[in-house]
């Protein structure tokens, strides 16, 4: 029996095969011919607007499943709002500046880049972005996404670049934009500063060491030591930062034990004594004194490699989860270290260059790349008798989102936007609570991120981007960044594009009669840094 004949199926002229690979392009061609998107705009004139503002993809390659999903979901939302009676416009956009594009151009150019000017490299980046805008536009249209494809917003359009200059200038005028020297994420491969949002985390195996810092003035405070030398013990997973140590941080609420170990006295947190002694391989010891953190504040210890002063300070970032309760503090190589250093007036010392190599300041390790120097630092500490224990530890470590290489914390002069000076953090938190979050836990996640986010590092040491408009007096070094100066540069960018900043003479970038606000002289140099690409899309509300 042919069971097909026993089925009670509806009769339909609809073909068994959809043939979508053939028919979809026909649908799209028909929509294009009838100008469907434009017809919807005419029909919807006067209705309430629904605007889905496009967060732009990078113009740095073919679309992938993530960008396809992003655009299709947006298209579903826009079409459903259109059918619900709104005038649902959709203006697609592209992020055109930044490291993702420059990184790919660098790979294309190879060694030829060394013989090119900055403007020539920028032009290659623009050409690269233009090529992939056209490619991605075709790919998005093939997905059936409707929008103003012939009039997208591009962050490298001259008028958009001018808006970026003006919006950055607003931060400068209200005091939120400032230049400072503080530790930031630094990619040694890309040779640029990175913001928090450009960091990914991956497992890394790093050295874990315990180091003894001699504290001569503690000898007299612990008569029970009987003349034995007294040491504070620190722990770190970044031995290469030991040359930059300037302090030892203790917690103000912790109790610290002085332990007689036979030939010397070691100071660690009371609650970690057993754990630490086992790690040091010291089975026999005796507690001979106890101190609170505040009782030890201000004690001068000695750096185990250089003999300079390493002062005992207090900090609430100290924990008992790992280490000794005595935290190695290098203000030029850590956020909490920096904040502690500021409180105690310590130098933001960072003897590492843009390649991640030690400078001449550190003597024995000069010229060595920091990660490669780890073993040498450990061996030197061993030679001086300061190394108590060494091991390997696997933990989550920050990496550059673009080149995937591990990054370092390094203090350099950078431009920042303050999260607190003008109330930016508080305003952002208030806006978060005005949004309906789906799923609801999204609110808690973003709220926590903003609540604890450090000042935004917006400067980059690269070529392809919009300049930070700032001039420096050649005579006294004073900063010139007035509204008149910013607007003058913005008007030039509007006509010639941001390349004008890099190819024009400095005097031609300044308005007539520009003079130093401090000494009155008229000779200036310009800022070399460009803006973080996230600033570009972050001001799209003003540019689109």
């Amino acid at each position: 029996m042919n069971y097909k004949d026993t089925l009670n199926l509806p009769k339909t002229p609809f073909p068994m095969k959809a043939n979508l690979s053939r028919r979809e392009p026909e649908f799209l061609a028909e929509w294009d011919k009838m100008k469907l998107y434009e017809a919807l705009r005419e029909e919807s004139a006067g209705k309430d607007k629904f605007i889905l503002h496009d967060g732009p993809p990078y113009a740095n390659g073919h679309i992938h499943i993530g960008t396809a999903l992003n655009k299709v979901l947006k298209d579903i939302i826009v079409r459903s709002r259109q059918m619900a009676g709104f005038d649902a416009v959709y203006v697609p956009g592209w992020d055109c500046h930044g490291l993702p594009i420059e990184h790919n151009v660098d790979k294309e150019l190879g060694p030829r880049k060394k013989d090119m000017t900055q403007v020539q490299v920028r032009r290659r980046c623009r050409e690269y972005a233009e090529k992939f805008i056209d490619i991605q536009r075709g790919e998005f249209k093939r997905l059936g996404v409707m929008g103003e494809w012939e009039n997208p917003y591009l962050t490298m359009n001259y008028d958009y670049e001018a808006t970026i200059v003006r919006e950055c200038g607003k931060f400068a005028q209200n005091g939120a934009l400032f230049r400072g020297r503080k530790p930031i994420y630094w990619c040694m491969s890309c040779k640029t500063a990175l913001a928090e949002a450009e960091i990914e985390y991956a497992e890394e195996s790093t050295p874990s060491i315990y180091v003894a810092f001699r504290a001569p003035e503690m000898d007299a405070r612990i008569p029970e030591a009987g003349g034995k030398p007294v040491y504070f013990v620190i722990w770190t997973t970044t031995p290469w930062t030991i040359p930059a140590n300037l302090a030892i941080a203790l917690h103000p609420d912790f109790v610290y034990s002085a332990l007689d170990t036979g030939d010397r006295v070691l100071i660690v947190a009371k609650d970690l004594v057993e754990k630490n002694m086992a790690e040091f391989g010291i089975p026999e010891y005796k507690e001979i004194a106890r101190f609170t953190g505040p009782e030890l504040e201000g004690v001068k210890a000695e750096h185990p490699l250089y003999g300079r002063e390493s002062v005992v300070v207090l900090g609430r970032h100290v924990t008992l989860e790992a280490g000794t309760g005595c935290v190695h503090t290098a203000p030029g190589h850590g956020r909490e270290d920096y904040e502690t250093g500021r409180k105690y007036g310590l130098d933001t010392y960072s003897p590492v260059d843009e390649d991640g190599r030690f400078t001449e300041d550190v003597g024995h390790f000069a010229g060595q790349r920091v990660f490669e120097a780890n073993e040498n630092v450990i061996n030197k500490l061993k030679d001086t008798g300061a190394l108590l224990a060494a091991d390997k530890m696997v933990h989550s470590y920050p990496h550059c989102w673009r080149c995937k290489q591990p990054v370092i914390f390094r203090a350099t002069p950078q431009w920042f936007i303050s999260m607190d000076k003008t109330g930016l953090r508080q305003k952002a938190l208030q806006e978060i609570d005005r949004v309906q979050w789906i799923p609801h836990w999204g609110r808690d996640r973003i709220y926590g991120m903003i609540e604890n986010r450090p000042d935004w590092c917006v400067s980059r040491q690269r070529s392809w981007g919009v300049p930070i408009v700032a001039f420096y007096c050649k005579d006294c070094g004073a900063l010139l960044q007035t509204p008149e100066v910013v607007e003058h540069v913005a008007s030039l960018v509007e006509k010639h594009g941001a390349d004008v900043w890099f190819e024009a003479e400095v005097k031609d970038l300044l308005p007539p009669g520009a003079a130093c606000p401090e000494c009155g002289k008229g000779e200036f140099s310009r800022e070399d840094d460009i803006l973080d690409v996230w600033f570009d899309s972050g001001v799209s509300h003003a540019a689109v």
Side-chain angles (χ1 to χ4, degrees):
M1 178 184 289
N2 189 340
Y3 288 101
K4 178 168 71 78
D5 298 332
T6 71
L7 298 176
N8 187 16
L9 295 174
K11 299 287 188 276
T12 172
F14 197 83
M16 289 296 289
K17 284 188 177 179
N19 277 327
L20 292 180
S21 59
R22 178 180 61 80
R23 299 186 67 210
E24 275 186 355
E26 293 172 359
F27 292 150
L28 299 178
E30 188 178 347
W31 293 350
D32 193 48
K33 184 179 178 182
M34 65 189 288
K35 297 191 179 298
L36 180 57
Y37 180 80
E38 291 76 6
L40 286 170
R41 297 286 67 74
E42 288 176 24
E43 185 189 309
S44 305
K47 294 180 180 178
D48 289 342
K49 269 193 165 51
F50 174 84
I51 299 174
L52 193 155
H53 181 50
D54 194 23
Y58 275 115
N60 70 325
H62 289 270
I63 67 170
H64 50 75
I65 193 65
T67 41
L69 178 65
N70 178 294
K71 279 289 185 289
V72 169
L73 291 177
K74 287 175 180 176
D75 193 52
I76 291 170
I77 292 167
V78 171
R79 287 173 186 257
S80 66
R81 293 290 88 191
Q82 181 70 38
M83 291 190 286
F86 290 90
D87 180 10
V89 299
Y90 179 62
V91 181
W94 274 274
D95 248 337
C96 306
H97 297 123
L99 193 54
I101 288 162
E102 189 174 347
H103 185 71
N104 286 353
V105 170
D106 283 356
K107 286 194 289 187
E108 283 187 355
L109 292 174
R112 286 177 294 158
K113 184 182 177 182
K114 288 185 286 189
D115 301 320
M116 296 172 68
T117 66
Q118 189 173 13
V119 172
Q120 287 172 330
V121 172
R122 286 174 58 84
R123 285 177 182 149
R124 287 295 293 267
C125 290
R126 181 175 285 276
E127 290 167 9
Y128 184 92
E130 285 170 346
K131 178 178 80 171
F132 277 103
I133 287 166
D134 285 339
I135 288 171
Q136 289 188 8
R137 179 178 9 226
E139 291 170 339
F140 285 137
K141 288 167 82 170
R142 179 64 184 83
L143 292 175
V145 178
M146 285 202 308
E148 295 190 21
W149 291 113
E150 305 316 313
N151 184 35
Y153 77 87
L154 308 177
T155 61
M156 66 180 183
N157 282 347
Y158 292 178
D159 57 345
Y160 197 118
E161 290 181 327
T163 300
I164 294 169
V165 170
R166 291 186 176 107
E167 292 300 309
C168 184
K170 289 179 184 177
F171 281 104
Q173 299 322 309
N174 69 19
L177 181 72
F178 68 95
R179 187 169 169 81
R181 179 181 168 84
K182 55 198 290 191
I184 41 83
Y185 289 114
W186 181 268
C187 179
M188 299 175 286
S189 174
C190 299
K191 293 185 177 57
T192 186
L194 299 174
E196 192 96 15
E198 296 168 311
I199 294 297
E200 297 174 345
Y201 286 85
E203 295 289 291
E204 283 282 340
S205 175
T206 60
S208 162
I209 62 171
Y210 292 88
V211 183
F213 279 61
R214 177 81 171 97
E217 65 184 76
M218 289 301 296
D219 297 359
R221 293 180 63 175
I222 310 176
E224 297 86 351
K228 293 175 184 175
V230 180
Y231 295 81
F232 287 92
V233 184
I234 65 93
W235 172 76
T236 183
T237 56
T238 53
W240 67 266
T241 62
I242 289 288
N245 173 280
L246 295 180
I248 300 166
L250 312 183
H251 197 286
D253 300 334
F254 293 173
V255 174
Y256 290 84
S257 296
L259 308 168
D260 186 341
T261 63
D263 58 345
R264 55 185 168 182
V265 175
L266 304 179
I267 297 176
V268 299
K270 178 180 74 69
D271 293 348
L272 294 170
V273 168
E274 288 185 22
K275 179 173 176 285
N276 287 161
M277 292 301 108
E279 286 163 329
F280 305 159
I282 302 176
E284 294 185 15
Y285 56 89
K286 178 185 177 185
E287 184 183 72
I288 56 175
R290 283 186 182 180
F291 301 91
T292 63
E295 287 176 318
L296 297 170
E297 184 180 20
V299 169
K300 310 289 192 300
E302 295 175 351
H303 194 289
L305 297 180
Y306 302 104
R308 66 168 179 261
E309 189 178 282
S310 184
V311 65
V312 174
V313 298
L314 300 180
R316 293 198 170 273
H317 62 286
V318 180
T319 74
L320 297 173
E321 292 174 13
T324 64
C326 307
V327 173
H328 152 59
T329 300
H333 292 295
R335 187 174 298 144
E336 287 154 333
D337 296 32
Y338 169 77
E339 295 298 339
T340 303
R342 281 186 63 189
K343 179 181 170 186
Y344 286 89
L346 302 177
D347 183 22
T348 310
Y349 180 50
S350 178
V352 177
D353 67 17
E354 65 174 16
D355 289 319
R357 296 184 184 278
F358 280 116
T359 61
E360 295 299 320
D361 293 15
V362 297
H364 180 74
F365 311 108
Q368 297 177 19
R369 287 187 74 103
V370 292
F371 293 144
E372 294 162 7
N374 272 332
E375 202 60 40
N376 294 333
V377 171
I378 292 171
N379 290 334
K380 197 72 173 172
L381 290 168
K382 193 183 296 181
D383 293 343
T384 64
L387 187 71
L388 289 175
D391 201 355
K392 289 283 185 182
M393 179 180 177
V394 176
H395 62 129
S396 183
Y397 191 85
H399 289 65
C400 172
W401 72 309
R402 180 51 40 189
C403 69
K404 310 302 180 185
Q405 295 300 308
V407 301
I408 61 173
F409 257 111
R410 172 178 177 250
T412 60
Q414 300 288 342
W415 287 91
F416 299 87
I417 289 177
S418 171
M419 290 294 290
D420 299 301
K421 191 168 183 182
T422 58
L424 181 59
R425 186 191 311 278
Q426 202 52 44
K427 289 173 192 169
L429 294 176
Q430 288 168 2
E431 290 301 319
I432 286 170
D433 280 336
R434 291 182 60 230
V435 173
Q436 180 188 357
W437 294 88
I438 302 172
H440 63 86
W441 51 257
R443 179 264 177 204
D444 297 334
R445 186 179 176 198
I446 191 77
Y447 196 96
M449 286 170 62
I450 299 300
E451 193 173 33
N452 300 301
R453 182 63 46 115
D455 291 338
W456 180 12
C457 178
V458 295
S459 49
R460 296 292 180 271
Q461 292 67 47
R462 300 294 300 190
S463 296
W464 181 228
V466 176
I468 296 174
V469 174
F471 297 91
Y472 304 97
C473 176
K474 284 190 174 180
D475 281 272
C476 71
L479 173 67
L480 179 66
Q481 204 176 37
T482 63
E484 296 74 26
V485 165
V486 171
E487 181 51 41
H488 184 77
V489 174
S491 64
L492 291 174
V493 170
E494 215 158 24
K495 292 177 192 166
H496 310 290
D499 281 0
V500 70
W501 179 263
F502 304 94
E503 56 190 351
E505 296 290 327
V506 173
K507 61 182 175 58
D508 297 327
L509 295 171
L510 288 160
C516 173
E518 299 294 329
C519 69
K521 300 287 179 62
E523 290 287 314
F524 294 90
S525 60
R526 79 192 107 196
E527 174 61 65
D528 292 327
D529 289 353
I530 61 170
L531 274 165
D532 174 8
V533 69
W534 293 88
F535 193 92
D536 291 18
S537 47
V539 300
S540 57
H541 66 281
V544 182

